[in-house]
Amino acid sequence: MAKLSLFERRRRRVRTALRSRAGDKPRLSVHRTGRHIYAQIINDAEGKTVAAASTLGGKSSGANVDAAAKVGKDIAAAAKKVGVTSVVFDRGGFLYHGRVKALADAAREGGLEF
């Protein structure tokens, strides 16, 4: 088996800890690249994505803090439509800083609890 990068090890460690503590709550997963930021709410019990938002198709493009905040508001609105109010935040292997933090704060302001 190939050796995992430090990022992959951190991602697995964070996700495993979340799954053990989450119970039946859905997971708000965040992924960011140099150009875009993505967020999706995943129901791990069923293995299905409940809601998703990103900078890909919308008016906000780019990968700055303002675009991340817009994605946070969009994911909170999409979660409300489906009836999800409480989630666990999965930052993946990314540090809770900058764009990831902006997305989380905007999602909280939009009504998600985590």
Side-chain angles (χ1 to χ4, degrees):
M1 188 161 130
K3 187 173 180 178
L4 297 175
S5 67
L6 291 177
F7 178 78
E8 276 298 319
R9 289 174 59 194
R10 183 170 59 229
R11 173 181 287 182
R12 284 187 181 186
R13 183 175 60 239
V14 168
R15 195 157 292 161
T16 304
L18 279 180
R19 286 186 179 148
S20 65
R21 296 181 191 132
D24 59 345
K25 291 183 182 179
R27 175 169 51 102
L28 172 58
S29 178
V30 175
H31 181 74
R32 67 175 175 82
T33 64
R35 292 184 179 195
H36 296 287
I37 188 158
Y38 310 86
Q40 56 183 342
I41 297 177
I42 303 166
N43 184 349
D44 285 322
E46 298 176 7
K48 293 187 177 182
T49 299
V50 177
S54 71
T55 57
L56 274 179
K59 295 177 184 175
S60 63
S61 62
N64 55 19
V65 174
D66 296 330
K70 173 79 169 88
V71 170
K73 290 178 185 176
D74 291 346
I75 195 71
K80 279 186 179 179
K81 283 184 183 178
V82 183
V84 174
T85 57
S86 180
V87 296
V88 291
F89 187 69
D90 178 11
R91 62 182 175 83
F94 304 105
L95 298 178
Y96 188 79
H97 178 73
R99 292 179 279 163
V100 175
K101 184 174 187 244
L103 188 144
D105 291 342
R108 281 191 190 104
E109 288 174 10
L112 281 179
E113 295 178 12
F114 53 92

